[in-house]
Amino acid sequence: MDESQVVDSLAALAHPLRLRIFRALVVAGPEGLTPGVMAEALETANTTLSFHLKELTHSGLVTQERASRNLVYRAAFDRMNSLLGYMTQNCCAGAACEVTDVSCKSC
């Protein structure tokens, strides 16, 4: 993944509704979701959802497929993993990274 693709992906996620849409598609897994289901679950208008899905699709983070009379949107897991890989490629200067959650009482 090159730097311009990373910027496009991060820009697409830099909107609260687009981030919620993407997270919903990640949760849905490979089966994906139709716009109607997403609009209802996210409590947003179809036109608003359509605009944001277009942006996510353009960034490569979401794919669209026609299944009979419906469109099905899916998270592009390969692109998501490439983005995460790019972001963590040189994490901690090659040393093992330790993540601590100070809010976790059982950790």
Side-chain angles (χ1 to χ4, degrees):
M1 178 171 257
D2 67 38
E3 192 173 85
S4 68
Q5 293 171 315
V6 170
V7 170
D8 288 344
S9 295
L10 292 174
L13 294 173
H15 185 280
L17 182 55
R18 285 196 294 265
L19 183 59
R20 288 176 50 216
I21 292 166
F22 184 71
R23 291 186 71 196
L25 291 171
V26 169
V27 170
E31 293 178 20
L33 296 170
T34 62
V37 170
M38 280 188 279
E40 185 176 327
L42 299 170
E43 298 177 346
T44 190
N46 288 335
T47 54
T48 302
L49 180 67
S50 178
F51 170 79
H52 291 296
L53 283 168
K54 181 185 71 137
E55 293 297 314
L56 287 164
T57 302
H58 177 72
S59 76
L61 288 168
V62 169
T63 63
Q64 172 193 43
E65 179 184 346
R66 181 163 294 281
S68 184
R69 296 177 60 187
N70 295 314
L71 291 175
V72 177
Y73 289 87
R74 294 179 179 89
F77 292 102
D78 55 341
R79 178 72 171 231
M80 178 187 76
N81 288 330
S82 293
L83 177 61
L84 293 171
Y86 181 91
M87 299 299 291
T88 60
Q89 184 175 11
N90 297 311
C91 180
C92 304
C97 296
E98 184 178 326
V99 178
T100 58
D101 183 356
V102 294
S103 67
C104 181
K105 302 297 182 201
S106 64
C107 297

